[in-house]
Amino acid sequence: MGRAVMVGRGPTGTRLFFLSTVIILTARSSRAQQGDGCGLSVLGPCSGSLSSLGYPGTYPNHTVCEWEISVPQGRRLHFRFADLDIEENNCQVNYLRIYDGIGPHRTQIVKFCGLGLNVPDLILSSGNQVTVQFMSGTHQSGRGFSLAYSTTEHTDLITCLDKGIHFTEAEFTRYCPAGCLTSVGEISGTIPHGYRDSSPVCLAAIHAGVVSNSVGGQISVVNSKGIPHYDGSLANNVSSTVGTLSNSLFTFKTSGCYGTLGLESGVVRDSQLFASSVWEWSDVIGEPSEWGPTGARLNGAGLPWASAHSDQQQWLQVDLKKEKRITGITTTGSSLLEYQFYVSAYRVLYSNDGQHWNIYREADATQDKIFKGNTNYLQEVRNNFIPPIEARYVRISPTQWHQRIALKFELLGCQFHQARPRIYHPARPPPPSVATDTPPMYSRTTHTPAIRNTTMPPCTINDVALATVLVPVLVMILTTLILTMVCAWHWKNRKNSSEGAYDRSLWDRTDWWKSMKQFLPSKMAEGEESVRYSSSEVGRLRVRGNTPRLRAEPAEYAQPLVSGVVTSLGQRSTFKPEEGSDPGYMDTNLYDAPMATDIYHAYAEPLPASGAEYATPIIIDIASHLSGSSTLNQPTTVSSFMGRGPASLLTRTDSGQSGRSMYDTPKSTGQATPTKDLAYQVPQSSNQKPVG
């Protein structure tokens, strides 16, 4: 750690002294700056940022500053300018030069002089040492310069002034240099909600706790649509302001180890909180008031923790019961309007055994890290640990405070999964001392019971392996049972559907054929209906030989049967003829021919028992008629349906039908008249014409 004194002269010639402390890290490298024209600068181990005095204002006259930068052997440096604005009226005394090497043997790489210069390309050194020199003479304008540098492996180096609006990619990665906390710029937003696109990206990364100001680092950024309002907060010594609607915003990808560790939620028990001392007192009515460590939970109701003494020997401690990775801390003051106490700066100590303590420092630093705390009693302030702490015990030691030491806090982090040797349990810390300030207080000590923390049960490898084996086996067993049940159900339904098919063809017994019939061409005329047969009818309609078995549903009129095949009625129908001059069914030559013995007549099917007004067929006992007889007065014999063939089909005649038969036996053709298995049921042949 070294100090750099930057001396500048203003326009009036009055010497103004600016004192700034710059962290000089000495791990295998050295960095130094000298002169009176040096602005806010940070020279990190692998990256840094430089600026002229007073930037972005006009740099003073007659100043000079040199920065000597070294990195480990075998590495080289490159530089990127954020702004370069040097008055060019006299470039002999107004310029910026970059040299290879340090000392009298250095060689010039480049020299700049001019207002509003644009230097888009990286400037590369040939070795691991570089000198940057800035000189100013008499001038009237010019902001000076601001640049960033890093080792050459970080080819995606950006400057501290690059804003989110300068990047159009949906996702991108860049390298932020050290020292962006000293840059000018204002950010709006918080993590995880996002930052306004007008915010400098690297400054927002420090606020989010993604990179450290003293070291810099790689960032992963995601662009998305803007939001109407951006909150403000204080984190990592960077103040974020409230912002308005923007077209876009950006957030950072993180490791995800930023969850709370249980103080606010109650996972951490009261017995796990300790303090160096407790402030106690009684009010005017004798009611005691104790500001103990159990009240130090962030956003908890009641009194916070307050120490009995106001000195730097006070501390507040938490035992996490097991080693964890701790990435940050959030603090607040008393949160009580009538007691506006808060801690404005503090150190953080950590331990694995509760006896040997380490003070937190940043990477490669030689001094303790002092965290900036609260600026009022109510606002929350977050600080991140880069690198994170890995410990079981954490202790907060205030260094500065307002009125009295008082705070509430919460730790951020996650479980630590690396196997470590088991740490022995430490002895209980001494009980805190009790203050005796006025009003009088009572000297009380609360002994914490030995309660084992069971909120985070350990996860063993055996449980994971057992679950890995059992889960697939259970899935296979359940799948097999489900498939077996589905197959049994399907087989049962198929068996039930096959019963009562009565030797029909496969297509007629399947639902697939029924659903496909509607897509097949049909010869049925419009308005005609096909005949369907039920298994109950087929059981009563059996014929001899190979006559097909048929079933029919009740219909109002008789349907035709042709060669045992289901057809539909065409022009020949048994509907009542229309009245008029058309002879219709009275044509004598239409039905005068006998049917073939192997074909059923189209009108040989009985009607349902309900009967119909017209077209009721009757069964003629052929044995009671003489062959060739045309007499119409022959009585008809109606028999019951007791036969076993087509000749025995019978329906009841309508009671309103006249005694005169409308159908008779066929004409005599000289051939032998069948006496068995055939029944002719055709219209009567009559020479009489209807009247009118």
Side-chain angles (χ1 to χ4, degrees), residues 85 106 120 125 227 244 280 318 346 362 399 437 444 651 666 679:
D85 189 65
R106 63 191 183 189
S125 70
I227 57 178
T244 57
E280 289 183 340
V318 58
Y346 57 90
E362 291 185 309
T399 59
D437 297 348
R444 298 184 302 174
T651 59

Side-chain angles (χ1 to χ4, degrees), residues 209 255 257-258 324-328 350 360-363 384-391 412-414 416:
S255 62
C257 189
Y258 293 94
K324 295 186 179 181
R325 185 184 299 274
I326 307 165
T327 58
Y350 59 94
Y360 181 80
R361 295 177 179 179
E362 291 185 309
N384 291 93
F385 304 133
I386 304 175
I389 296 174
E390 296 173 355
L412 308 176
C414 58
F416 185 66

Side-chain angles (χ1 to χ4, degrees), residues 263-280:
L263 277 88
E264 181 178 357
S265 63
V267 173
V268 174
R269 301 176 183 270
D270 291 346
S271 59
Q272 298 172 235
L273 295 169
F274 309 94
S276 58
S277 63
V278 175
W279 184 38
E280 289 183 340

Side-chain angles (χ1 to χ4, degrees), residues 557 573-579 584-585 612-616 662-663:
Y557 301 102
S573 175
T574 59
F575 288 101
K576 178 182 178 181
E578 295 182 1
E579 306 204 337
Y585 295 118
E613 183 178 0
Y614 302 103
T616 303
M662 294 182 62
Y663 299 88

Side-chain angles (χ1 to χ4, degrees), residues 615-632:
T616 303
I618 62 175
I619 302 300
I620 307 299
D621 188 358
I622 302 178
S624 63
H625 292 271
L626 297 177
S627 178
S629 174
S630 61
T631 304
L632 300 177

Side-chain angles (χ1 to χ4, degrees), residues 87-384:
E87 191 173 292
E88 58 187 353
N89 59 352
N90 187 355
C91 288
Q92 296 297 323
V93 293
N94 290 288
Y95 61 83
L96 176 71
R97 288 180 175 176
I98 300 178
Y99 296 91
D100 257 330
I102 295 175
H105 300 290
R106 63 191 183 189
T107 58
Q108 178 176 303
I109 300 175
V110 67
K111 176 183 178 180
F112 295 103
C113 177
L115 295 174
L117 296 178
N118 184 19
V119 186
D121 298 329
L122 290 170
I123 298 172
L124 183 65
S125 70
S126 59
N128 67 315
Q129 294 182 325
V130 172
T131 300
V132 179
Q133 184 186 65
F134 174 69
M135 181 174 288
S136 68
T138 302
H139 63 91
Q140 299 297 325
S141 62
R143 296 184 301 274
F145 76 96
S146 175
L147 63 80
Y149 75 88
S150 72
T151 52
T152 53
E153 59 263 25
H154 303 298
T155 58
D156 52 355
L157 172 69
I158 60 176
T159 69
C160 298
L161 301 184
D162 289 326
K163 300 180 179 181
I165 200 172
H166 297 153
F167 303 94
T168 59
E169 303 97 325
E171 296 186 13
F172 61 91
T173 59
R174 294 292 187 274
Y175 184 82
C176 286
C180 287
L181 181 61
T182 61
S183 65
V184 295
E186 185 177 86
I187 66 172
S188 296
T190 59
I191 192 171
H193 303 295
Y195 296 88
R196 201 174 190 271
D197 56 4
S198 60
S199 305
V201 175
C202 291
L203 187 59
I206 297 174
H207 181 273
V210 177
V211 297
S212 170
N213 177 67
S214 62
V215 180
Q218 200 78 25
I219 60 173
S220 296
V221 186
V222 178
N223 279 323
S224 58
K225 186 177 180 180
I227 57 178
H229 177 78
Y230 297 88
D231 296 326
S233 64
L234 177 61
N236 300 305
N237 206 19
V238 179
S239 294
S240 172
T241 61
V242 175
T244 57
L245 175 67
S246 65
N247 293 329
S248 63
L249 61 81
F250 61 89
T251 55
F252 298 97
K253 291 183 178 180
T254 64
S255 62
C257 189
Y258 293 94
T260 58
L261 293 182
L263 277 88
E264 181 178 357
S265 63
V267 173
V268 174
R269 301 176 183 270
D270 291 346
S271 59
Q272 298 172 235
L273 295 169
F274 309 94
S276 58
S277 63
V278 175
W279 184 38
E280 289 183 340
W281 55 275
S282 298
D283 56 21
V284 293
I285 62 174
E287 187 70 23
S289 178
E290 180 179 343
W291 299 51
T294 58
R297 302 176 186 273
L298 186 69
N299 297 323
L303 298 175
W305 167 74
S307 64
H309 310 288
S310 295
D311 56 46
Q312 295 191 6
Q313 305 304 316
Q314 307 304 307
W315 47 263
L316 178 64
Q317 175 182 317
V318 58
D319 177 10
L320 299 175
K321 292 298 183 181
K322 61 189 303 185
E323 188 174 351
K324 295 186 179 181
R325 185 184 299 274
I326 307 165
T327 58
I329 181 174
T330 302
T331 61
T332 186
S334 66
S335 67
L336 300 174
L337 180 61
E338 59 272 26
Y339 303 103
Q340 298 186 14
F341 309 147
Y342 59 88
V343 174
S344 56
Y346 57 90
R347 295 185 181 92
V348 174
L349 296 83
Y350 59 94
S351 171
N352 285 324
D353 57 13
Q355 299 295 324
H356 304 86
W357 295 88
N358 299 312
I359 302 176
Y360 181 80
R361 295 177 179 179
E362 291 185 309
D364 297 326
T366 58
Q367 287 194 349
D368 303 337
K369 169 81 173 181
I370 303 297
F371 294 91
K372 183 176 181 180
N374 297 89
T375 57
N376 55 57
Y377 72 98
L378 187 60
Q379 183 183 13
E380 295 181 6
V381 175
R382 173 174 48 82
N383 282 287
N384 291 93

Side-chain angles (χ1 to χ4, degrees), residues 62-89:
H62 308 292
T63 59
V64 64
C65 184
E66 285 189 358
W67 294 268
E68 295 179 350
I69 306 171
S70 297
V71 293
Q73 288 286 344
R75 295 187 178 183
R76 295 189 299 167
L77 294 163
H78 57 193
F79 298 81
R80 184 181 293 279
F81 280 91
D83 191 14
L84 184 58
D85 189 65
I86 302 173
E87 191 173 292
E88 58 187 353
N89 59 352

